[in-house]
Structure formats: structure tokens, C-alpha cells
């Protein structure tokens, strides 16, 4: 056994989307890069709904499609389903620009995709060290110069460390970039099942013309049992992914078990027929950092940068996070290259990481939506009253039962105002608008 | 310096496996391949004795190219050399053919660099036959100790080992002359958490591949499906037994119960034949 110091130009912590991207960019420029991953293999610990955005993938690999990425179906129909107790209103968009090349988003399964994404980084020259947990940092003169791991003789040195540790921001805290754990009010717990069905069945039940068509649906209303949160449905090629995400805080308060929440969703009269006869392939849960802008740590310090979930880079309303992680990973990789060119790894040099992100949608969107998580927490009516009203209103509008129409409109009106006063409704709409526009 | 050899197998993680209810066969798709757990303990035991006595560990396995990963895992645990026996001609080998393939490869290694002690896991978790280790020992005419739980002593000077082995009733202590072959229980050694330099070495390690012609020339009638006398005619899942009828003594009375049960028994042909 050698006692030589283990040294790389760049160490990336975590082989998720941010980590493997950062490593690929740095390795492509000839730097000696190690990715340290705690799972048995890259992707082993990663989980999402979900869909990936092609713009971010192509930004890293312009020849993406020649590389045959393991993506599932393209998203050709997307939007909202509003659930009441026993009914559903669908508001989705399909065809038009959603259906045109280039396709904006593809459904993916992370265990498969992330291990492929990491292989691309390996091809660029990055070296993956799996089954190893980074536990702390090594400092010299106040500057980070390496990491310690949970293995014997486990120190690894590099003048720049890119932390993509995910939602549990333990290392980010150790560096003093943020002073607290992720807060229960600022994190959603998402639980999901992947249920296998034949492509034919999926197409027939969801009205999809072929295997080249897929859905990404946000489900609002009866799914979250009044808690701030959303359900979702995504179509993989031969499986459907269904889940619910609600804030951790709400789960604590209500004492509702996440698996009960999911089970209830899957048994909903509008959902159950979709998955009937399917086989459970995967059952999992993951935390999503939804604090956004307000929970962002400082993004860099001397010798280290943070990207992805650890840096709170998630846009909860638009279900964006993977694209932010990839763009941030790229920016961190570029900054590492710049630092090596200068031979200077100080906080001042690494600040160009943040400067770069300011120019991109990452920081712009996060800043714009900075009030969103607070808004959703304070407005449970968007989860309960409005979806039910929508179902009532549409249900009334499209049935006759021999009533005069004036009475019909009165009933629709009453089904709203009996639940929430008109003044409050107006207030809700205004604050929703503010949270979205970000003023 | 001691030369230890461990024979391993890459297996599907059967804790993760399901049976296709229609065909009755294993659904292997998406099931991770792992180093057979008993083999991992065998490698750990070899690594312990390498540390004590100094020397080297050779790992051998037969399997598809992806079995390289299992060999790398052995390097991580402290092995020095990994040999993969991989050839389409080996495919479909049963335990008989597999033990022939392994035995000939081991004979070759032994000629070039004499082996002192050979380790096998007690069985592989996918087939559970526990036949390959004994098969190899028989072919090579090495002493065989199955279900080894502890290595008390390896004495190279006098050429013997002292091994504890588990039987149903007791622990036996066996003295065998070297080279000997053990099949190991998990108790043989704890699997250590490898040091980082060993992990990195294993990730960079490139295994040797041996084929059906090079460096050992195999008799093609003895390998693969052709060389395998085992024929699997059918696999299936046993049907669950229906619970039997219940008679409540409290409801129908003791005599009635006994009579009914007795009636049922003698109307059942197999019991009736005993009665006569």
C-alpha cells in the first residue's frame, strides 16, 4: 500500500446531474478530475418525478442524440389536472410547439439516466470513485485544499472542490456557506411509484397516439389532502410514474404518513383506472429543496463551490431543478478551469462562478420566484378550494338537469363564494400573480 | 510468502429478484449483479492471511465480460491478480462443466506459481448447489474442507492447515495437507471497508481474460451446454397449500370430531392402505 498523497486537479462530490456535468466540463479541458459518489454507482441515490430538459443536456453535449441518451418518452402533452374528491378537470396543452422538434423535455428514469450521464463524464476523462462518503474538508491557510472520506487512508487533495452533495447540505454547512439544515417548511417530501404497464395500455388509457408521445402532468387539488403540495404523473416508455410531494412541515403537523398520501392518490377514482393491473417496479421517496432563492447558501469560498440541490437550485412551481443543476455544474466546471489557468483558487477567483450564473435563467428565475414557497405555504386554498370549485363549475356548466341557466350560474357562483369570500379570492389571485412575477 | 487463490462468481442480487408468474423463471432484467456474498467473505479471509504471512492472492472467475466488476471488487478487498475465464464456448456450463473449466485453469496457475490454499464460497446464491468447489477439489485431487468457519493455522513449513468447519451438530477441527481447498461460510472473515488507495487501485485494475483456447486449451465436448449433463426440464413455483378443513370440538362434540377425522383419514387412499 502506497503512502502517496492522492491528488487531483478537481474533486467533485456527488455523481448527480450537477456533479457529473461539472466533472465532464473540467475533464474535457484536460484537468484531472475525480467524482466521489457515496452510492454503489452513479445514479444509485438519485430520484425525481420526472422530466429532463433537452436544452440543458444539449448545452453540455451538442452531439447528444448521437450518444443515444437513455431517455423515455418525449413530453408532448403537459399541464395541470385539477382533482376534486371524485372528479377531475384537465387543462393540458399538446400539439403545437410542444410537439415540434426540438422537443423541450423528455421523461427519464434517474437510476438509468444518471449512470449514463456519469459515463459521459468518464469518457471525457473524469475518474469516478464510488462507495465513498466525503466527510469533511482539509484546509491549508484558511483555504480548502482537499476532502476527507469515510475510508481508511481516505484523504483526497485538490485545489478546487465542487460540492454537489444533494439536498442534505451537510458539507455546505461544514464550509460555513449556510448555517442551518434544510428547514421542514422549505423542503418537500416526494413519494412516488413507478408502475409498469404495456406501452399499448399506457397509450390507450392516456390518449397518447404512440410511444413517441408522453405526458408530464402536475396534479393539483384532492391529491395533497389540503397540504401545500402537488401530485404528478409522467409517462416512461413502459411505465407510469405517479407521486405526490408535500412540505415536510405539513406532514409533521398533520401526522399524515407519506405512503398513505400516495396510496390515497393512487386509489382516486380518476387515477386508479390508469394504473389498474400494472406492476410496481420502484417505490421511493426523496426530499426536494423548495426554499429557492431565500435558502440559497453562499455559492463559493476559497477552494470550493456548491451546485445543484445543495445550493437550493429548484424552481418548485415549474418543476425545474435538473436543468439548473446541469447549468450550474457547467459553470462550476468552467470556473475550475479558469482558476487552474490563473493558478489561483481564492474566493475572489471562484466568485466568477456566481457571476456566470447571474447571467443565466438559474439565478434570474430563482430570484423572480423567491416568494413562491412562502406563498404556497400560506395559501392552502389553491390546493383545496379552487380545484374543487373548478370541478363543480365545469360539472354544473356541462350538465342540464332541466334547470334554467340563470339558476345554473347562481349555483356555480355560490359554489365559489360559499367556500371563500369574493374579496379573498381577489386577494389570492393578486398574491399568486405577485409570487410568479416576482415583484 | 504464500500464494492464495480464491474462486468467485458474479451473481444476480437474489434479494432483489422476482419470479415471472407466467413463465416461472427469474426476471433478471434490472437486477444488479454482485459478487456472491460467500465469495466476498472468502476473499476477505484470504486477505487477512495475506496480511499475516505476506504473499499474494489470485482471483479466478468464469463469466461474461461484465464479471470484471466482481474481480475489481476482489482487488479492492486486497487481491493482487484477477483472471476472467470468458468465452462464448463456456456459456451454459453446469456445475460439472464449470468445475472442469476452473480446475484446468487452476492447474495452469498452479504449475506456474504453486498455490498453497484455495478458497471458494460455500455456494452461490443464484444456484445454491454448493457443487463447484468440491468438484474442483476432486478433479485436482486436493483435500477438501467444506463449510469452513475459521482458519486456525496455515503452516507452510510443515505443509498443513487447521480448519474449523461447521456441521449440523458440532464444530469439527480438520487438519489437511497443503494445497487444500476450502468452501467458506460467512463466519470465515468480516468484509473490511477497503482503504481508499485499494479502492482506487481496483478501479484502475485491468483483469486478464482467458478464453477456451488460450492459455488453456479446453476439450470442447466437456464445456458449455454440450459438456453439461444437467438438463433443466422445467422450473416453477410450488403451489401454495390450501388450508385443511377445520372441525371445532366445542361445536360438534368430541366423539363427532374424532369420528369425522377418522372417516376422512381412511377415505384417503394412502392412509387407508396403511390401515389395511
Amino acid at each position: 500500500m502506497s503512502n502517496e498523497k492522492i491528488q487531483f486537479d478537481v474533486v467533485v462530490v456527488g455523481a448527480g446531474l450537477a456533479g457529473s456535468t461539472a466533472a465532464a466540463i473540467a475533464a474535457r479541458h484536460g484537468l484531472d478530475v475525480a467524482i466521489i459518489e457515496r452510492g454503489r454507482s452513479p445514479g444509485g441515490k438519485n430520484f425525481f418525478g420526472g422530466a429532463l430538459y433537452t436544452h440543458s443536456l444539449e448545452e453540455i453535449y451538442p452531439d447528444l442524440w448521437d450518444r443515444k441518451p437513455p431517455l423515455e418518452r418525449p413530453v408532448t402533452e403537459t399541464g395541470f389536472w385539477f382533482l376534486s374528491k371524485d372528479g377531475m378537470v384537465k387543462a393540458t396543452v399538446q400539439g403545437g410547439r410542444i410537439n415540434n422538434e426540438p422537443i423541450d423535455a423528455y421523461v427519464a428514469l434517474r437510476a438509468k439516466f444518471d449512470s449514463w450521464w456519469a459515463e459521459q463524464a468518464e469518457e471525457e476523462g473524469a475518474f469516478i470513485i464510488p462507495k465513498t462518503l466525503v466527510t469533511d474538508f482539509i484546509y491549508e491557510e484558511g483555504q480548502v485544499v482537499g476532502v476527507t472520506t469515510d475510508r481508511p487512508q481516505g484523504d483526497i487533495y485538490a485545489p478546487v472542490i465542487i460540492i454537489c452533495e444533494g439536498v442534505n447540505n451537510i458539507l455546505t454547512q461544514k464550509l460555513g456557506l449556510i448555517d442551518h439544515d434544510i428547514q421542514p417548511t422549505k423542503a418537500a417530501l416526494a413519494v412516488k411509484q413507478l408502475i409498469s404497464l404495456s406501452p399499448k395500455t399506457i397509450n390507450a388509457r392516456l390518449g397518447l397516439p404512440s410511444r413517441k408521445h408522453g405526458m408530464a402532468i402536475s396534479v393539483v387539488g384532492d391529491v395533497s389532502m389540503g397540504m401545500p403540495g402537488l401530485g404528478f404523473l409522467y409517462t416512461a416508455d413502459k411505465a407510469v410514474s405517479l407521486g405526490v410531494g408535500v412540505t415536510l412541515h405539513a406532514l409533521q403537523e398533520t401526522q399524515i404518513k407519506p405512503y398513505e398520501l400516495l396510496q390515497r392518490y393512487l386509489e382516486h377514482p380518476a387515477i386508479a383506472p390508469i394504473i389498474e393491473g400494472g406492476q410496481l417496479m420502484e417505490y421511493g421517496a426523496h426530499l426536494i429543496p423548495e426554499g429557492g432563492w431565500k435558502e440559497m447558501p453562499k455559492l463559493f469560498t476559497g477552494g470550493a463551490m456548491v451546485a445543484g440541490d445543495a445550493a437550493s437550485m429548484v424552481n418548485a412551481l415549474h418543476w425545474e431543478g435538473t436543468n439548473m443543476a446541469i447549468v450550474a455544474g457547467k459553470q462550476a466546471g468552467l470556473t475550475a478551469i479558469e482558476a487552474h489557468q490563473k493558478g489561483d483558487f481564492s474566493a475572489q477567483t471562484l466568485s466568477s462562478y456566481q457571476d456566470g450564473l447571474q447571467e443565466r435563467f438559474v439565478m434570474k428565475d430563482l430570484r423572480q420566484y423567491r416568494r413562491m414557497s412562502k406563498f404556497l405555504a400560506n395559501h392552502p386554498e389553491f390546493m383545496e378550494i379552487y380545484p374543487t370549485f373548478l370541478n363543480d363549475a365545469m360539472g354544473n356548466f356541462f350538465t342540464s338537469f332541466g334547470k334554467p341557466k340563470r339558476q345554473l350560474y347562481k349555483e356555480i357562483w355560490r359554489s365559489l363564494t360559499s367556500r371563500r369570500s369574493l374579496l379573498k379570492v381577489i386577494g389570492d389571485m393578486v398574491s399568486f400573480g405577485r409570487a410568479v412575477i416576482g415583484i | 510468502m504464500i500464494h492464495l487463490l480464491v474462486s468467485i462468481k458474479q451473481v444476480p442480487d437474489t434479494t432483489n429478484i422476482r419470479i415471472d408468474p407466467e413463465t416461472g423463471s427469474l426476471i433478471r432484467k434490472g437486477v444488479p449483479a454482485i459478487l456472491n456474498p460467500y465469495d466476498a467473505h472468502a476473499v476477505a479471509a484470504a486477505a487477512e492471511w495475506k496480511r499475516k504471512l505476506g504473499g499474494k492472492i489470485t482471483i479466478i472467475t468464469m463469466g461474461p465480460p461484465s464479471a470484471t466488476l466482481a474481480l475489481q471488487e476482489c482487488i479492492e478487498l486486497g487481491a493482487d491478480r484477477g483472471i476472467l475465464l470468458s468465452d462464448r464456448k463456456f456459456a451454459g456450463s453446469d456445475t460439472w462443466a464449470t468445475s472442469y473449466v476452473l480446475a484446468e485453469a487452476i492447474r495452469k496457475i498452479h504449475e506456474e506459481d504453486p498455490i498453497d490454499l484455495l478458497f471458494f464460497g460455500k455456494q452461490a446464491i443464484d444456484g445454491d448447489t454448493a457443487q463447484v468447489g468440491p468438484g474442483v477439489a476432486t478433479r485436482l485431487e486436493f483435500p477438501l474442507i467444506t463449510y469452513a468457519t475459521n482458519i486456525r493455522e496455515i503452516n507452510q513449513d510443515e505443509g498443513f492447515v487447521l480448519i474449523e468447519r461447521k456441521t449440523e451438530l458440532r464444530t469439527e477441527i480438520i487438519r489437511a495437507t497443503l494445497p487444500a481447498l476450502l468452501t467458506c461460510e460467512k463466519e470465515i472473515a468480516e468484509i473490511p471497508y477497503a482503504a481508499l488507495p485499494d479502492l482506487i487501485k481496483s478501479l484502475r485494475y485491468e483483469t486478464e481474460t482467458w478464453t477456451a483456447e488460450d492459455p488453456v486449451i479446453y476439450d470442447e465436448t466437456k464445456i458449455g451446454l454440450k459438456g453439461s449433463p444437467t438438463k433443466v426440464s422445467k422450473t416453477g413455483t410450488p403451489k401454495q397449500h390450501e388450508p385443511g378443513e377445520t372441525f371445532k370440538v366445542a361445536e360438534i362434540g368430541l366423539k363427532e370430531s374424532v369420528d369425522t377425522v377418522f372417516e376422512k383419514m381412511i377415505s384417503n387412499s394412502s392412509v387407508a392402505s396403511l390401515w389395511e
Side-chain angles (χ1 to χ4, degrees):
Chain A
M1 232 173 280
S2 70
N3 287 319
E4 260 175 59
K5 207 159 117 171
I6 301 170
Q7 174 85 45
F8 288 89
D9 294 334
V10 181
V11 160
V12 177
V13 182
L17 293 172
S20 292
T21 307
I25 296 289
R28 189 182 289 169
H29 282 74
L31 295 180
D32 196 10
V33 185
I35 311 177
I36 308 172
E37 162 62 38
R38 78 190 161 112
R40 276 193 68 86
S41 61
K45 302 275 176 189
N46 308 350
F47 208 59
F48 80 160
L52 292 169
Y53 299 92
T54 38
H55 74 85
S56 57
L57 308 180
E58 285 171 346
E59 182 173 335
I60 308 306
Y61 300 105
D63 61 343
L64 178 74
W65 301 105
D66 298 335
R67 293 171 178 256
K68 303 215 180 323
L71 294 165
E72 302 287 317
R73 296 178 184 227
V75 176
T76 57
E77 182 175 346
T78 183
F80 288 98
W81 288 358
F82 298 95
L83 285 192
S84 67
K85 265 214 152 33
D86 47 9
M88 164 159 73
V89 171
K90 295 181 178 181
T92 62
V93 55
Q94 56 179 305
R97 67 173 299 181
I98 297 286
N99 204 8
N100 287 343
E101 299 283 340
I103 298 281
D104 177 59
Y106 274 80
V107 176
L109 303 172
R110 290 288 295 279
K112 233 198 264 177
F113 185 85
D114 286 21
S115 77
W116 178 84
W117 193 247
E119 274 168 30
Q120 308 311 300
E122 270 184 307
E123 275 179 28
E124 301 283 3
F127 182 65
I128 298 174
I129 303 173
K131 301 182 285 184
T132 304
L133 180 73
V134 172
T135 48
D136 211 336
F137 297 92
I138 307 165
Y139 298 89
E140 266 168 30
E141 296 166 14
Q143 177 104 356
V144 178
V145 293
V147 295
T148 60
T149 67
D150 60 344
R151 288 190 178 268
Q153 299 170 274
D155 294 356
I156 305 182
Y157 291 83
V160 54
I161 315 290
I162 303 174
I163 303 159
C164 309
E165 59 175 330
V167 60
N168 284 316
N169 56 3
I170 299 161
L171 295 172
T172 310
Q173 285 184 57
K174 283 205 166 147
L175 273 184
L177 298 177
I178 194 162
D179 63 359
H180 56 271
D181 286 333
I182 182 155
Q183 304 291 298
T185 51
K186 304 286 168 56
L189 181 72
V191 276
K192 84 158 190 184
Q193 288 192 7
L194 185 72
I195 297 161
S196 90
L197 288 164
S198 75
K200 240 186 184 163
T201 308
I202 295 172
N203 295 345
R205 290 182 183 174
L206 293 170
L208 296 165
S210 78
R211 283 166 89 163
K212 296 276 158 241
H213 293 76
M215 276 182 170
I217 305 291
S218 297
V219 183
V220 189
D222 195 53
V223 58
S224 63
M225 297 175 82
M227 294 181 273
L230 293 168
F232 55 83
L233 178 151
Y234 291 90
T235 51
D237 184 35
K238 287 182 273 189
V240 186
S241 154
L242 284 148
V244 196
V246 294
T247 66
L248 211 49
H249 177 72
L251 288 170
Q252 278 176 333
E253 293 282 299
T254 57
Q255 293 289 306
I256 293 170
K257 307 275 186 296
Y259 54 85
E260 287 170 6
L261 190 68
L262 180 59
Q263 206 49 44
R264 192 173 163 281
Y265 172 46
L266 298 180
E267 284 166 10
H268 189 280
I271 300 294
I274 299 171
I275 51 172
E276 199 197 317
Q279 205 182 5
L280 178 65
M281 302 291 288
E282 195 179 293
Y283 189 112
H286 211 279
L287 280 178
I288 307 169
E290 298 205 326
W293 178 265
K294 294 198 170 162
E295 286 298 310
M296 259 188 148
K298 193 165 172 279
L299 294 179
F300 60 90
T301 181
M305 295 174 270
V306 197
D309 275 5
S312 190
M313 292 172 179
V314 170
N315 180 339
L317 187 70
H318 288 262
W319 299 89
E320 288 182 27
T322 56
N323 54 348
M324 295 190 175
I326 288 170
V327 168
K330 175 190 170 188
Q331 205 60 45
L334 291 174
T335 306
I337 295 165
E338 186 191 326
H340 270 282
Q341 282 163 351
K342 281 191 189 169
D344 173 27
F345 306 93
S346 65
Q348 202 191 344
T349 303
L350 299 188
S351 70
S352 81
Y353 167 52
Q354 183 164 331
D355 297 343
L357 283 181
Q358 304 279 18
E359 301 302 311
R360 302 295 307 268
F361 70 95
V362 179
M363 299 297 252
K364 288 187 172 156
D365 286 359
L366 287 173
R367 190 171 184 301
Q368 180 181 330
Y369 281 79
R370 66 195 180 280
R371 290 201 191 89
M372 189 48 82
S373 76
K374 196 173 167 197
F375 166 81
L376 288 174
N378 292 341
H379 290 79
E381 57 282 356
F382 278 85
M383 307 301 150
E384 231 171 2
I385 295 174
Y386 295 129
T388 302
F389 163 67
L390 204 56
N391 275 272
D392 272 8
M394 300 274 282
N396 269 320
F397 191 87
F398 292 108
T399 49
S400 77
F401 294 117
K403 285 179 205 159
K405 291 292 174 271
R406 178 174 290 275
Q407 191 187 334
L408 174 79
Y409 287 122
K410 266 190 188 158
E411 278 177 16
I412 292 178
W413 186 244
R414 209 174 307 127
S415 88
L416 176 62
T417 50
S418 67
R419 293 191 170 100
R420 196 150 175 90
S421 80
L422 190 58
L423 218 60
K424 283 209 168 122
V425 172
I426 294 168
D428 291 343
M429 295 305 151
V430 170
S431 43
F432 178 69
R434 287 191 44 166
V436 171
I437 300 165
I439 50 170
Chain B
M1 296 287 271
I2 193 161
H3 186 194
L4 305 171
L5 179 133
V6 191
S7 173
I8 61 132
K9 184 179 183 188
Q10 191 184 43
V11 294
D13 187 354
T14 50
T15 55
N16 239 321
I17 216 160
R18 285 169 307 139
I19 309 277
D20 185 324
E22 278 165 27
T23 63
S25 55
L26 299 180
I27 303 173
R28 288 187 183 238
K29 206 185 151 204
V31 179
I34 58 167
L35 171 61
N36 182 44
Y38 295 106
D39 302 349
H41 287 272
V43 176
E48 269 181 21
W49 283 90
K50 177 183 130 178
R51 267 195 301 281
K52 281 183 202 162
L53 303 173
K56 64 186 163 201
I57 300 171
T58 303
I59 309 287
I60 189 165
T61 190
M62 186 178 90
S66 61
T68 305
L69 291 176
L71 287 175
Q72 281 183 334
E73 203 170 327
C74 298
I75 302 288
E76 177 188 333
L77 294 174
D80 302 278
R81 180 183 179 195
I83 299 169
L84 171 64
L85 301 168
S86 192
D87 197 308
R88 285 193 177 278
K89 290 181 184 141
F90 295 143
S93 294
D94 66 359
T95 53
W96 178 269
T98 302
S99 59
Y100 165 67
V101 172
L102 289 173
E104 292 313 304
I106 292 167
R107 202 190 300 279
K108 174 84 182 164
I109 298 165
H110 190 55
E111 276 166 16
E112 288 171 2
D113 191 354
I115 303 162
D116 298 289
L117 190 59
L118 297 84
F119 298 71
F120 282 65
K122 84 164 171 178
Q123 66 200 49
I125 59 166
D126 57 349
D128 285 326
T129 66
Q131 290 169 354
V132 173
V136 170
T138 308
R139 288 171 188 279
L140 296 175
E141 297 180 344
F142 289 160
L144 167 68
I145 303 159
T146 51
Y147 308 111
T149 52
N150 186 29
I151 302 169
R152 285 202 175 180
E153 189 183 350
I154 301 176
N155 191 324
Q156 281 177 278
D157 298 336
E158 295 173 41
F160 72 89
V161 273
L162 270 185
I163 307 291
E164 290 176 21
R165 78 183 284 265
K166 192 162 74 176
T167 71
E168 274 171 35
L169 300 175
R170 59 182 74 83
T171 296
E172 297 173 349
I173 300 161
I174 310 268
R175 184 186 153 124
T177 51
L178 296 175
L181 190 150
L182 317 177
T183 75
C184 303
E185 295 275 1
K186 288 185 179 174
E187 295 97 305
I188 195 97
E190 286 290 319
I191 297 170
Y193 196 43
L196 189 61
D198 287 342
L199 175 65
I200 290 177
K201 181 179 146 200
S202 78
L203 294 167
R204 293 192 159 138
Y205 183 79
E206 286 183 22
T207 53
E208 295 165 49
T209 302
W210 290 13
T211 67
E213 285 101 35
D214 184 37
V216 179
I217 301 165
Y218 285 95
D219 177 349
E220 290 195 17
T221 62
K222 291 185 179 173
I223 60 173
L225 211 51
K226 267 188 282 177
S228 298
T230 313
K231 299 285 174 260
V232 180
S233 54
K234 197 184 166 199
T235 59
T237 327
K239 275 211 185 98
Q240 215 161 3
H241 274 287
E242 298 281 328
E245 285 177 82
T246 310
F247 302 100
K248 288 195 173 155
V249 177
E251 281 169 20
I252 59 173
L254 183 61
K255 185 174 182 317
E256 182 73 22
S257 309
V258 173
D259 286 351
T260 313
V261 172
F262 186 71
E263 200 71 20
K264 292 261 170 201
M265 281 169 66
I266 60 169
S267 69
N268 176 317
S269 59
S270 59
V271 182
S273 65
L274 286 177
W275 187 250
E276 285 155 8

